[in-house]
Amino acid sequence: MTRRALISGVAVGAALLVSACSPPSSDSSSTSSSAASGAAADAKTAKSAKDLGGLEALVTAAKKEGKLNVIALPPDWANYGEVIKGFTAKYGITVNSAQPDGSSQDEINAVKSLKGTDRAPDVLDIGMAVALANTTLFAPYQTEKWADIADAQKEPTGLWVQDYGGYMSIGYDSAKVPAPTSVADLLKAEYKGKVALNGDPTQANAALNGVLMASVANGGSLDDISKGVDFFSQLKKSGSFTPVQASTATVKNGTTPVVFDWDYLQGGHVKDVPTWKVFLPENATIGGYYAQAINADAPHPAAARLWQEYLYSDEGQNLWLKGGARPVRMDAMIKAGTVDKAAAAALPEVKGTPQFPTQDQLGAAKKVLATGWAKAIS
């Protein structure tokens, strides 16, 4: 019996016991309402759905709150548009989406600046370097699929849990620039004024990993990103680097014909720019995962926890996969036969030997960039 089935069985048993001992329906309704109120009140400290009496009690409490605040979730990022629609359709909870183009650091800033208000973010989707630097702001929570996730991909109590990942890549409009065969090719005149990052690497995880990829491709390592910083400095001096933050809009209007970004975001540009191609350097295959966290002061604590349950369910994981990202439970879902096979088959081929930065390496890289990035591209 699965854990979910066990919880359902307990709930059914409890309901039968209440039915046998209780007065008529009016009092039963009162008991149910009281339980829901209790669940809503306890949600802020709940470390699992079981703490609230099970998933159904969590659903009841979340529906009573009726709202969920999310931040920095572009609809075209890992299929978040469909994820949000799916959550709302399933539970009838309104999702308020703020700063869709914000960075991981913007999310943390909003948690701090909006603390105590009903506009504060309930949940966060953030890069690992930012997550590790801010764990005191998060609430521990373990979803029902907790056991499917490797220990290395989650904080032991659930303060953060990795959610989906991919590989750093170079996307380019093949109608405007020649196909690069290496990262170093971007220093050539054909790329002048056309190479961009997805954000500021001191603030945004995607851009940080772009610098990591450039470092490894130029003889550096995940422990020493100086080669990557030097590369972008050369890119700036050669006139190839543009400080414009790449987005779907800038790719679509041609402002950023060459972009360092995750492969699952590059793939989405093809519908707007049919000539958009994706290049993954074999000598610098850098993988990375983002992480989920719940704001410890979430104004909608039950909805925040239900959102996590939805994201880590087969349904939520397959929606990320449909968006070209690799969900953290993918291996378990393949074994269980619940993975979306067509979406899995459509993932880009990876030829090089993947390297995944450790938490310490990401933290060290972020410190280097905090002190040296601005000067490098000045």
Short mmCIF file of all heavy atoms in Angstrom, two decimals, residues 4-63:
data_model
loop_
_atom_site.label_atom_id
_atom_site.label_comp_id
_atom_site.label_asym_id
_atom_site.label_seq_id
_atom_site.Cartn_x
_atom_site.Cartn_y
_atom_site.Cartn_z
N ARG A 4 0.03 7.33 0.21
CA ARG A 4 -1.20 8.07 -0.03
C ARG A 4 -2.41 7.19 0.21
O ARG A 4 -3.40 7.62 0.79
CB ARG A 4 -1.20 8.59 -1.47
CG ARG A 4 -2.45 9.39 -1.78
CD ARG A 4 -2.31 10.11 -3.08
NE ARG A 4 -3.49 10.91 -3.36
CZ ARG A 4 -3.56 11.77 -4.34
NH1 ARG A 4 -2.54 11.96 -5.11
NH2 ARG A 4 -4.66 12.45 -4.55
N ALA A 5 -2.33 5.93 -0.24
CA ALA A 5 -3.45 5.02 -0.04
C ALA A 5 -3.66 4.76 1.44
O ALA A 5 -4.78 4.65 1.91
CB ALA A 5 -3.18 3.71 -0.78
N LEU A 6 -2.55 4.67 2.20
CA LEU A 6 -2.66 4.44 3.63
C LEU A 6 -3.38 5.60 4.30
O LEU A 6 -4.26 5.42 5.13
CB LEU A 6 -1.26 4.28 4.23
CG LEU A 6 -1.19 4.09 5.75
CD1 LEU A 6 -1.92 2.82 6.13
CD2 LEU A 6 0.25 4.01 6.20
N ILE A 7 -3.01 6.83 3.92
CA ILE A 7 -3.65 8.00 4.50
C ILE A 7 -5.13 8.00 4.18
O ILE A 7 -5.98 8.26 5.02
CB ILE A 7 -2.98 9.29 3.97
CG1 ILE A 7 -1.57 9.38 4.55
CG2 ILE A 7 -3.78 10.51 4.34
CD1 ILE A 7 -0.74 10.48 3.96
N SER A 8 -5.47 7.68 2.93
CA SER A 8 -6.87 7.64 2.54
C SER A 8 -7.62 6.61 3.35
O SER A 8 -8.75 6.81 3.78
CB SER A 8 -7.00 7.32 1.04
OG SER A 8 -6.37 8.33 0.28
N GLY A 9 -6.97 5.45 3.59
CA GLY A 9 -7.61 4.41 4.36
C GLY A 9 -7.89 4.86 5.77
O GLY A 9 -8.97 4.60 6.32
N VAL A 10 -6.94 5.53 6.40
CA VAL A 10 -7.13 6.05 7.75
C VAL A 10 -8.28 7.04 7.77
O VAL A 10 -9.12 7.03 8.66
CB VAL A 10 -5.83 6.72 8.24
CG1 VAL A 10 -6.08 7.43 9.55
CG2 VAL A 10 -4.75 5.66 8.41
N ALA A 11 -8.33 7.90 6.74
CA ALA A 11 -9.38 8.90 6.69
C ALA A 11 -10.75 8.26 6.60
O ALA A 11 -11.70 8.69 7.25
CB ALA A 11 -9.15 9.85 5.50
N VAL A 12 -10.86 7.21 5.75
CA VAL A 12 -12.14 6.53 5.60
C VAL A 12 -12.55 5.90 6.93
O VAL A 12 -13.69 6.00 7.38
CB VAL A 12 -12.04 5.46 4.50
CG1 VAL A 12 -13.28 4.58 4.51
CG2 VAL A 12 -11.88 6.13 3.14
N GLY A 13 -11.57 5.25 7.60
CA GLY A 13 -11.86 4.61 8.88
C GLY A 13 -12.34 5.62 9.90
O GLY A 13 -13.30 5.38 10.64
N ALA A 14 -11.67 6.77 9.97
CA ALA A 14 -12.05 7.80 10.91
C ALA A 14 -13.44 8.32 10.61
O ALA A 14 -14.25 8.57 11.50
CB ALA A 14 -11.04 8.94 10.87
N ALA A 15 -13.75 8.48 9.32
CA ALA A 15 -15.07 8.98 8.94
C ALA A 15 -16.16 8.01 9.36
O ALA A 15 -17.22 8.42 9.84
CB ALA A 15 -15.12 9.20 7.43
N LEU A 16 -15.92 6.69 9.18
CA LEU A 16 -16.91 5.70 9.59
C LEU A 16 -17.11 5.76 11.10
O LEU A 16 -18.24 5.65 11.60
CB LEU A 16 -16.44 4.31 9.17
CG LEU A 16 -16.49 4.03 7.67
CD1 LEU A 16 -15.84 2.69 7.38
CD2 LEU A 16 -17.92 4.06 7.15
N LEU A 17 -16.03 5.92 11.87
CA LEU A 17 -16.13 5.98 13.32
C LEU A 17 -16.94 7.19 13.76
O LEU A 17 -17.82 7.10 14.62
CB LEU A 17 -14.72 6.05 13.93
CG LEU A 17 -14.64 6.03 15.47
CD1 LEU A 17 -15.26 4.74 16.00
CD2 LEU A 17 -13.21 6.15 15.92
N VAL A 18 -16.67 8.35 13.13
CA VAL A 18 -17.43 9.56 13.46
C VAL A 18 -18.89 9.36 13.15
O VAL A 18 -19.78 9.73 13.90
CB VAL A 18 -16.85 10.76 12.69
CG1 VAL A 18 -17.77 11.96 12.80
CG2 VAL A 18 -15.47 11.11 13.23
N SER A 19 -19.17 8.74 11.98
CA SER A 19 -20.55 8.54 11.56
C SER A 19 -21.31 7.68 12.55
O SER A 19 -22.47 7.92 12.85
CB SER A 19 -20.56 7.89 10.17
OG SER A 19 -21.87 7.61 9.77
N ALA A 20 -20.64 6.65 13.11
CA ALA A 20 -21.30 5.73 14.02
C ALA A 20 -21.57 6.38 15.37
O ALA A 20 -22.52 6.03 16.06
CB ALA A 20 -20.44 4.49 14.23
N CYS A 21 -20.77 7.34 15.82
CA CYS A 21 -20.87 7.87 17.16
C CYS A 21 -21.49 9.25 17.23
O CYS A 21 -21.78 9.74 18.32
CB CYS A 21 -19.48 7.95 17.80
SG CYS A 21 -18.64 6.35 17.86
N SER A 22 -21.66 9.93 16.08
CA SER A 22 -22.03 11.33 16.12
C SER A 22 -23.51 11.54 15.97
O SER A 22 -24.22 10.72 15.40
CB SER A 22 -21.32 12.10 15.00
OG SER A 22 -19.94 12.01 15.19
N PRO A 23 -23.99 12.72 16.46
CA PRO A 23 -25.36 13.13 16.20
C PRO A 23 -25.54 13.41 14.71
O PRO A 23 -24.59 13.32 13.94
CB PRO A 23 -25.50 14.42 17.02
CG PRO A 23 -24.42 14.35 18.04
CD PRO A 23 -23.31 13.62 17.37
N PRO A 24 -26.73 13.84 14.28
CA PRO A 24 -27.00 14.06 12.86
C PRO A 24 -26.08 15.07 12.18
O PRO A 24 -25.24 15.68 12.80
CB PRO A 24 -28.46 14.54 12.86
CG PRO A 24 -29.04 13.96 14.09
CD PRO A 24 -27.93 13.89 15.08
N SER A 25 -26.41 15.27 10.90
CA SER A 25 -25.51 15.96 9.98
C SER A 25 -25.08 17.35 10.40
O SER A 25 -23.98 17.76 10.10
CB SER A 25 -26.16 16.04 8.60
OG SER A 25 -27.41 16.69 8.72
N SER A 26 -25.94 18.11 11.05
CA SER A 26 -25.56 19.48 11.37
C SER A 26 -24.32 19.51 12.25
O SER A 26 -23.41 20.31 12.05
CB SER A 26 -26.72 20.21 12.09
OG SER A 26 -27.06 19.49 13.27
N ASP A 27 -24.22 18.59 13.22
CA ASP A 27 -23.05 18.55 14.07
C ASP A 27 -21.84 18.03 13.31
O ASP A 27 -20.71 18.43 13.57
CB ASP A 27 -23.31 17.67 15.29
CG ASP A 27 -24.20 18.37 16.30
OD1 ASP A 27 -24.36 19.61 16.17
OD2 ASP A 27 -24.75 17.69 17.15
N SER A 28 -22.08 17.09 12.37
CA SER A 28 -20.98 16.58 11.55
C SER A 28 -20.37 17.69 10.74
O SER A 28 -19.15 17.79 10.59
CB SER A 28 -21.48 15.46 10.62
OG SER A 28 -21.93 14.37 11.38
N SER A 29 -21.22 18.58 10.20
CA SER A 29 -20.72 19.70 9.42
C SER A 29 -19.87 20.60 10.29
O SER A 29 -18.83 21.11 9.88
CB SER A 29 -21.90 20.50 8.82
OG SER A 29 -22.60 19.70 7.93
N SER A 30 -20.35 20.80 11.52
CA SER A 30 -19.59 21.65 12.43
C SER A 30 -18.23 21.07 12.71
O SER A 30 -17.22 21.77 12.75
CB SER A 30 -20.39 21.81 13.74
OG SER A 30 -19.63 22.55 14.66
N THR A 31 -18.18 19.72 12.90
CA THR A 31 -16.90 19.05 13.15
C THR A 31 -15.96 19.22 11.98
O THR A 31 -14.77 19.54 12.12
CB THR A 31 -17.14 17.55 13.42
OG1 THR A 31 -18.00 17.42 14.54
CG2 THR A 31 -15.82 16.84 13.69
N SER A 32 -16.53 19.04 10.75
CA SER A 32 -15.72 19.18 9.54
C SER A 32 -15.17 20.59 9.40
O SER A 32 -14.01 20.81 9.10
CB SER A 32 -16.56 18.81 8.31
OG SER A 32 -15.83 19.04 7.15
N SER A 33 -16.05 21.58 9.67
CA SER A 33 -15.63 22.97 9.56
C SER A 33 -14.53 23.28 10.57
O SER A 33 -13.56 23.97 10.27
CB SER A 33 -16.84 23.89 9.78
OG SER A 33 -16.42 25.22 9.77
N SER A 34 -14.72 22.74 11.78
CA SER A 34 -13.72 22.98 12.81
C SER A 34 -12.38 22.37 12.43
O SER A 34 -11.32 22.98 12.63
CB SER A 34 -14.21 22.37 14.13
OG SER A 34 -13.24 22.52 15.12
N ALA A 35 -12.41 21.16 11.84
CA ALA A 35 -11.17 20.51 11.42
C ALA A 35 -10.47 21.32 10.35
O ALA A 35 -9.25 21.48 10.37
CB ALA A 35 -11.47 19.10 10.91
N ALA A 36 -11.28 21.85 9.41
CA ALA A 36 -10.68 22.66 8.35
C ALA A 36 -10.04 23.91 8.92
O ALA A 36 -8.95 24.31 8.53
CB ALA A 36 -11.76 23.04 7.32
N SER A 37 -10.71 24.55 9.89
CA SER A 37 -10.15 25.75 10.49
C SER A 37 -8.85 25.43 11.20
O SER A 37 -7.88 26.17 11.14
CB SER A 37 -11.16 26.35 11.48
OG SER A 37 -12.34 26.73 10.81
N GLY A 38 -8.87 24.27 11.91
CA GLY A 38 -7.65 23.87 12.60
C GLY A 38 -6.52 23.62 11.64
O GLY A 38 -5.38 24.02 11.90
N ALA A 39 -6.83 22.97 10.50
CA ALA A 39 -5.79 22.70 9.50
C ALA A 39 -5.21 23.99 8.97
O ALA A 39 -3.99 24.12 8.80
CB ALA A 39 -6.37 21.86 8.36
N ALA A 40 -6.10 24.98 8.72
CA ALA A 40 -5.63 26.26 8.20
C ALA A 40 -4.71 26.93 9.20
O ALA A 40 -3.67 27.50 8.84
CB ALA A 40 -6.82 27.16 7.87
N ALA A 41 -5.09 26.87 10.48
CA ALA A 41 -4.28 27.50 11.52
C ALA A 41 -2.94 26.81 11.69
O ALA A 41 -1.93 27.44 11.98
CB ALA A 41 -5.05 27.51 12.84
N ASP A 42 -2.91 25.48 11.51
CA ASP A 42 -1.70 24.71 11.73
C ASP A 42 -0.80 24.64 10.51
O ASP A 42 0.35 24.18 10.60
CB ASP A 42 -2.05 23.28 12.15
CG ASP A 42 -2.73 23.26 13.52
OD1 ASP A 42 -2.57 24.23 14.27
OD2 ASP A 42 -3.44 22.27 13.80
N ALA A 43 -1.29 25.07 9.37
CA ALA A 43 -0.53 24.91 8.14
C ALA A 43 0.82 25.60 8.20
O ALA A 43 1.79 25.13 7.61
CB ALA A 43 -1.34 25.46 6.96
N LYS A 44 0.92 26.69 8.91
CA LYS A 44 2.16 27.46 8.94
C LYS A 44 3.33 26.65 9.50
O LYS A 44 4.48 26.88 9.15
CB LYS A 44 1.95 28.72 9.79
CG LYS A 44 3.00 29.80 9.57
CD LYS A 44 2.63 31.08 10.29
CE LYS A 44 3.58 32.21 9.95
NZ LYS A 44 3.51 32.61 8.55
N THR A 45 3.04 25.70 10.38
CA THR A 45 4.11 24.90 10.98
C THR A 45 4.13 23.46 10.46
O THR A 45 5.00 22.68 10.89
CB THR A 45 3.97 24.88 12.51
OG1 THR A 45 2.68 24.35 12.85
CG2 THR A 45 4.12 26.28 13.10
N ALA A 46 3.20 23.11 9.60
CA ALA A 46 3.13 21.73 9.10
C ALA A 46 4.37 21.38 8.28
O ALA A 46 4.75 22.12 7.37
CB ALA A 46 1.88 21.56 8.25
N LYS A 47 4.98 20.27 8.61
CA LYS A 47 6.17 19.83 7.89
C LYS A 47 5.84 18.75 6.86
O LYS A 47 6.73 18.26 6.15
CB LYS A 47 7.22 19.34 8.89
CG LYS A 47 7.70 20.44 9.82
CD LYS A 47 8.71 19.92 10.83
CE LYS A 47 9.15 21.06 11.76
NZ LYS A 47 10.08 20.59 12.80
N SER A 48 4.60 18.34 6.81
CA SER A 48 4.12 17.40 5.81
C SER A 48 2.60 17.47 5.81
O SER A 48 1.99 18.01 6.75
CB SER A 48 4.58 15.97 6.13
OG SER A 48 3.92 15.51 7.30
N ALA A 49 1.98 16.90 4.78
CA ALA A 49 0.51 16.86 4.76
C ALA A 49 -0.01 16.03 5.92
O ALA A 49 -1.08 16.30 6.47
CB ALA A 49 0.04 16.28 3.42
N LYS A 50 0.75 15.04 6.32
CA LYS A 50 0.34 14.17 7.43
C LYS A 50 0.15 14.97 8.71
O LYS A 50 -0.72 14.66 9.53
CB LYS A 50 1.40 13.08 7.64
CG LYS A 50 1.00 11.99 8.61
CD LYS A 50 2.09 10.92 8.68
CE LYS A 50 1.68 9.80 9.65
NZ LYS A 50 2.75 8.77 9.73
N ASP A 51 0.94 16.04 8.90
CA ASP A 51 0.81 16.88 10.10
C ASP A 51 -0.56 17.54 10.19
O ASP A 51 -1.00 17.95 11.27
CB ASP A 51 1.88 17.97 10.11
CG ASP A 51 3.26 17.43 10.45
OD1 ASP A 51 3.35 16.23 10.84
OD2 ASP A 51 4.24 18.19 10.33
N LEU A 52 -1.23 17.67 9.04
CA LEU A 52 -2.54 18.31 9.00
C LEU A 52 -3.68 17.30 8.93
O LEU A 52 -4.84 17.66 8.80
CB LEU A 52 -2.63 19.25 7.79
CG LEU A 52 -1.69 20.45 7.83
CD1 LEU A 52 -1.71 21.20 6.50
CD2 LEU A 52 -2.09 21.39 8.96
N GLY A 53 -3.33 16.01 8.98
CA GLY A 53 -4.35 14.98 8.89
C GLY A 53 -4.42 14.32 7.53
O GLY A 53 -5.30 13.51 7.28
N GLY A 54 -3.52 14.71 6.63
CA GLY A 54 -3.50 14.09 5.31
C GLY A 54 -3.70 15.10 4.20
O GLY A 54 -3.99 16.28 4.43
N LEU A 55 -3.53 14.62 2.98
CA LEU A 55 -3.59 15.50 1.81
C LEU A 55 -4.96 16.15 1.65
O LEU A 55 -5.06 17.33 1.29
CB LEU A 55 -3.23 14.72 0.55
CG LEU A 55 -3.08 15.54 -0.73
CD1 LEU A 55 -1.99 16.59 -0.58
CD2 LEU A 55 -2.76 14.63 -1.92
N GLU A 56 -6.02 15.40 1.93
CA GLU A 56 -7.36 15.98 1.75
C GLU A 56 -7.59 17.14 2.71
O GLU A 56 -8.22 18.14 2.36
CB GLU A 56 -8.42 14.89 1.94
CG GLU A 56 -8.40 13.80 0.87
CD GLU A 56 -8.42 14.37 -0.54
OE1 GLU A 56 -9.22 15.30 -0.80
OE2 GLU A 56 -7.62 13.93 -1.38
N ALA A 57 -7.07 17.03 3.93
CA ALA A 57 -7.20 18.14 4.88
C ALA A 57 -6.40 19.35 4.40
O ALA A 57 -6.82 20.50 4.56
CB ALA A 57 -6.72 17.71 6.26
N LEU A 58 -5.23 19.08 3.81
CA LEU A 58 -4.42 20.17 3.26
C LEU A 58 -5.17 20.86 2.12
O LEU A 58 -5.18 22.09 2.02
CB LEU A 58 -3.08 19.63 2.76
CG LEU A 58 -2.17 20.64 2.03
CD1 LEU A 58 -1.82 21.81 2.94
CD2 LEU A 58 -0.89 19.96 1.54
N VAL A 59 -5.81 20.06 1.26
CA VAL A 59 -6.58 20.63 0.16
C VAL A 59 -7.70 21.52 0.70
O VAL A 59 -7.92 22.65 0.22
CB VAL A 59 -7.18 19.51 -0.73
CG1 VAL A 59 -8.16 20.09 -1.74
CG2 VAL A 59 -6.06 18.75 -1.45
N THR A 60 -8.39 21.05 1.73
CA THR A 60 -9.48 21.84 2.31
C THR A 60 -8.97 23.16 2.87
O THR A 60 -9.56 24.22 2.63
CB THR A 60 -10.16 21.03 3.45
OG1 THR A 60 -10.68 19.83 2.91
CG2 THR A 60 -11.28 21.83 4.09
N ALA A 61 -7.85 23.10 3.59
CA ALA A 61 -7.29 24.32 4.17
C ALA A 61 -6.82 25.28 3.08
O ALA A 61 -7.00 26.50 3.19
CB ALA A 61 -6.13 23.96 5.09
N ALA A 62 -6.20 24.75 2.03
CA ALA A 62 -5.69 25.60 0.95
C ALA A 62 -6.84 26.27 0.19
O ALA A 62 -6.77 27.44 -0.15
CB ALA A 62 -4.85 24.77 0.00
N LYS A 63 -7.91 25.51 -0.04
CA LYS A 63 -9.07 26.09 -0.73
C LYS A 63 -9.69 27.19 0.10
O LYS A 63 -10.19 28.19 -0.44
CB LYS A 63 -10.09 24.99 -1.03
CG LYS A 63 -9.71 24.07 -2.17
CD LYS A 63 -10.83 23.07 -2.47
CE LYS A 63 -10.51 22.24 -3.70
NZ LYS A 63 -11.58 21.26 -3.99
#
